[in-house]
Amino acid sequence: MEDVIVIGSGMAGLTAAALLSQKGLRVKVLEQNWIAGGCSSSYPRHHFIFEAGATTLVGLDENMPLRHLIDVTGIQIDARRLNIPMKVRLDDSTVVTRYQDLETWIAEAERVFGPGGQRGFWQEAYKVSQSVWETSLRQLAFPPTRIRDLMEAVKNISWSQVRSIPNAFRSVESLLKKYKIHNNKRFRAFVDEQLLITAQNYASNVNVLFGATALCYTNYGNYYVPGGMYQLIKPIIDYIESKGGSVDLRTKVEQVKKTGSGYIIQTKKKGEFQTPFLISAIPLNNTLDLFGHSLMAKYRKKVMSSEMLRSAFQMGIAFRKHREFEAIHHQIHLGNKLPEIGARSIFVSLSHKEDTERCKPGEAVASISTHIFDPNETLIEHKELIEERIIEVLEENGFLKRENILYKHSSTPGAWKKWTAREWGFVGGYPQYLKIKPWQMKDARLDGKGAYICGDSTYPGQGIPGACLSGIIAVEKLQLDHGI
């Protein structure tokens, strides 16, 4: 019998598993795919290494979750800091450089969008983001659902946290209105498409706490992992295994049953596993299917439907370079929406010029992604039309020449469902919605006994840092409840 079993090997599950391993527990991670990492991984195809999903690495700064994981465990990650986090091409061809330094960024924003309101907006947004990250590792019992959680919250509260409470009730749109820049159409479009990357929603729906953090992620350290994002995942797996744990691939969980002494986990190929404690690191939608009716009634109102979620259309393209690039991450706003899916922007992530693990010198690998709203109801009949339009956009913006393409492929919601097993193939976690306040988020306690949950459907829309934080919180609550 394992001390703890974790279902799912994304960043949330591996974070929880590593921290539990550090505490001396024997942990088994069950992963349905042939490679670990979920949306924070990479895979080989046709002599190239493509990213599975997440391509930006944030979270290594002070007070951030990934830094906490590394500091506690001593795990070493080979990450290269980027000089320029991102470039954005507006639909009028204006290029905006997302500098990390706040003052440099404000000057750039004023150059592109006009000086009115920009300084105040970005200074306040950055201040809020700093408070959010400072609070995140101090309030690990959040959201509080037991008296002990409240005691921990009060013990660790600060005045800056109290001042931030109103930001949970107002939208990013209200912040735009405060600085009188809500009618600046170019800037509003910029903000909405930038929010989609991390908050998975638009300014009218995202509260200031999450929205400011999402908009300011380029003002923190952004990193690149040579060899692809799997090289972020592998050191964590190595650490878990060095502590006596294991990560079992191709091990799909089909059912979870509560027993008097813990849980019986039924898998498709490897039979049953027993454990006193369980952490589900897969979405709430999928988790409830495993537990069946015992949890359905309790969480029915917390489960998001397809119309509230996002999937992605993603292309992987390998090509011979005809130029070098100042930045590797780009968002391109489109004058005409993409066919069939109606997306208004694409995100382009390039391999680093010094990375010879993902491709040969003189070549590059690009991961291009865009959002698909309501994936269960969005039928893609001619994905080649979307591919063709994306290639045209890349050519028009000087990223590649068609004749230099060496290999390409694309993924729709069906492919994401197969890769991640997430219902409807939704990615990016639960989007941020203003009507859902921080304390209404799903508690890490799943059944109030020995089962817990983490992942991007419990801490919405903040990518790797948010997923990592949810794993930390799950471990904290398990420890509070059971003294582990």
Side-chain angles (χ1 to χ4, degrees):
M1 179 183 289
E2 310 297 330
D3 295 327
V4 185
I5 285 181
V6 177
I7 302 175
S9 69
M11 272 303 298
L14 291 180
T15 295
L19 292 174
L20 291 167
S21 298
Q22 190 271 335
K23 295 178 183 295
L25 300 175
R26 188 172 64 253
V27 184
K28 181 181 288 291
V29 180
L30 304 179
E31 168 57 49
Q32 61 89 28
N33 207 344
W34 63 274
I35 191 169
C39 291
S40 301
S41 191
S42 48
Y43 58 93
R45 183 174 291 187
H46 203 76
H47 311 300
F48 303 102
I49 302 294
F50 292 95
E51 301 288 24
T55 58
T56 56
L57 177 58
V58 184
L60 292 172
D61 294 56
E62 186 179 358
N63 296 322
M64 283 191 166
L66 187 55
R67 168 54 55 190
H68 172 81
L69 173 65
I70 290 172
D71 289 343
V72 169
T73 60
I75 293 172
Q76 299 293 315
I77 295 173
D78 180 15
R80 179 170 299 172
R81 191 169 189 138
L82 300 176
N83 293 325
I84 296 177
M86 186 194 306
K87 283 183 174 287
V88 181
R89 285 165 168 77
L90 305 181
D91 58 11
D92 61 3
S93 299
T94 301
V95 177
V96 187
T97 302
R98 295 287 330 245
Y99 295 103
Q100 180 182 338
D101 177 72
L102 181 62
E103 283 299 316
T104 308
W105 162 239
I106 290 173
E108 175 73 348
E110 290 179 335
R111 178 188 72 83
V112 176
F113 303 110
Q118 291 294 325
R119 174 166 294 277
F121 176 84
W122 289 106
Q123 285 179 333
E124 181 167 350
Y126 184 65
K127 187 175 181 180
V128 170
S129 73
Q130 287 181 307
S131 177
V132 168
W133 288 124
E134 179 185 345
T135 299
S136 66
L137 292 175
R138 289 172 60 92
Q139 294 291 351
L140 295 179
F142 197 85
T145 55
R146 295 183 179 180
I147 295 297
R148 190 165 183 179
D149 294 348
L150 288 171
M151 292 172 61
E152 289 292 319
V154 171
K155 183 175 68 176
N156 294 305
I157 200 165
S158 66
W159 178 241
S160 66
Q161 294 171 26
V162 174
R163 289 200 308 267
S164 292
I165 291 175
N167 290 322
F169 294 91
R170 59 178 182 144
S171 66
V172 172
E173 185 172 33
S174 73
L175 193 62
L176 293 170
K177 290 180 179 178
K178 176 181 177 179
Y179 292 100
K180 297 181 174 56
I181 47 179
H182 59 290
N183 289 325
N184 185 330
K185 291 184 179 180
R186 291 174 80 232
F187 185 61
R188 177 60 186 268
F190 169 82
V191 167
D192 276 341
E193 295 304 310
Q194 287 277 282
L195 282 173
L196 268 183
I197 295 175
T198 49
Q200 305 292 316
N201 222 329
Y202 296 127
S204 59
N205 255 323
V206 180
N207 71 38
V208 173
L209 285 179
F210 285 104
T213 310
L215 288 172
C216 290
Y217 90 87
T218 51
N219 297 117
Y220 294 87
N222 281 240
Y223 294 83
Y224 177 86
V225 183
M229 291 297 283
Y230 182 72
Q231 301 308 317
L232 166 68
I233 299 301
K234 187 176 185 302
I236 304 175
I237 295 174
D238 291 343
Y239 178 83
I240 294 167
E241 293 177 343
S242 74
K243 297 293 184 179
S246 63
V247 177
D248 292 9
L249 303 176
R250 303 181 189 274
T251 308
K252 185 175 182 178
V253 176
E254 295 191 317
Q255 190 177 33
V256 176
K257 294 181 180 180
K258 181 75 179 76
T259 67
S261 59
Y263 302 87
I264 295 176
I265 300 170
Q266 182 67 45
T267 67
K268 188 173 183 179
K269 291 186 177 180
K270 296 188 178 181
E272 293 182 350
F273 296 95
Q274 295 186 36
T275 181
F277 300 110
L278 163 70
I279 296 179
S280 175
I282 60 177
L284 182 59
N285 304 57
N286 299 78
T287 298
L288 296 185
D289 287 340
L290 298 182
F291 278 80
H293 296 295
S294 61
L295 290 177
M296 281 290 187
K298 182 178 180 181
Y299 293 116
R300 186 176 291 114
K301 292 183 179 180
K302 289 187 179 290
V303 175
M304 288 192 182
S305 59
S306 173
E307 64 183 8
M308 300 175 73
L309 298 170
R310 322 282 185 245
S311 187
F313 184 91
Q314 186 176 41
M315 280 192 74
I317 304 178
F319 59 96
R320 288 187 297 272
K321 293 188 293 185
H322 71 284
R323 51 165 291 199
E324 296 294 344
F325 301 92
E326 188 180 11
I328 64 172
H329 298 308
H330 304 260
Q331 188 182 48
I332 304 175
H333 295 197
L334 306 175
N336 297 314
K337 297 178 182 179
L338 289 179
E340 299 207 14
I341 57 176
R344 297 184 295 188
S345 68
I346 61 174
F347 186 76
V348 182
S349 181
L350 302 167
S351 55
H352 196 282
K353 63 180 180 181
E354 296 177 8
D355 187 354
T356 57
E357 297 180 57
R358 295 182 61 193
C359 57
K360 296 177 181 178
E363 300 174 346
V365 175
S367 294
I368 304 100
S369 59
T370 191
H371 289 79
I372 296 176
F373 290 74
D374 194 359
N376 191 49
E377 298 298 325
T378 302
L379 179 64
I380 298 176
E381 295 183 326
H382 304 287
K383 73 174 187 177
E384 67 275 4
L385 297 178
I386 307 174
E387 291 180 347
E388 175 60 25
R389 179 57 187 144
I390 287 175
I391 292 173
E392 287 178 357
V393 170
L394 295 177
E395 277 196 298
E396 290 167 1
N397 287 277
F399 283 88
L400 54 75
K401 295 181 178 180
R402 187 181 298 264
E403 61 268 24
N404 289 339
I405 294 177
L406 301 170
Y407 177 77
K408 63 181 176 66
H409 67 283
S410 62
S411 304
T412 62
W416 285 109
K417 184 175 182 179
K418 183 177 180 180
W419 179 269
T420 65
R422 291 171 177 242
E423 191 170 16
W424 309 305
F426 82 86
V427 296
Y430 275 11
Q432 218 296 301
Y433 283 95
L434 186 65
K435 63 183 180 181
I436 302 173
K437 303 301 183 287
W439 50 86
Q440 294 175 314
M441 294 190 306
K442 173 68 195 77
D443 182 25
R445 297 184 182 93
L446 187 59
D447 63 357
K449 297 172 184 176
Y452 296 79
I453 187 169
C454 59
D456 56 14
S457 64
T458 57
Y459 192 95
Q462 294 297 334
I464 288 175
C468 189
L469 178 60
S470 73
I472 296 171
I473 291 173
V475 171
E476 176 72 12
K477 296 234 171 170
L478 195 158
Q479 184 171 334
L480 281 174
D481 297 344
H482 302 282
I484 290 178

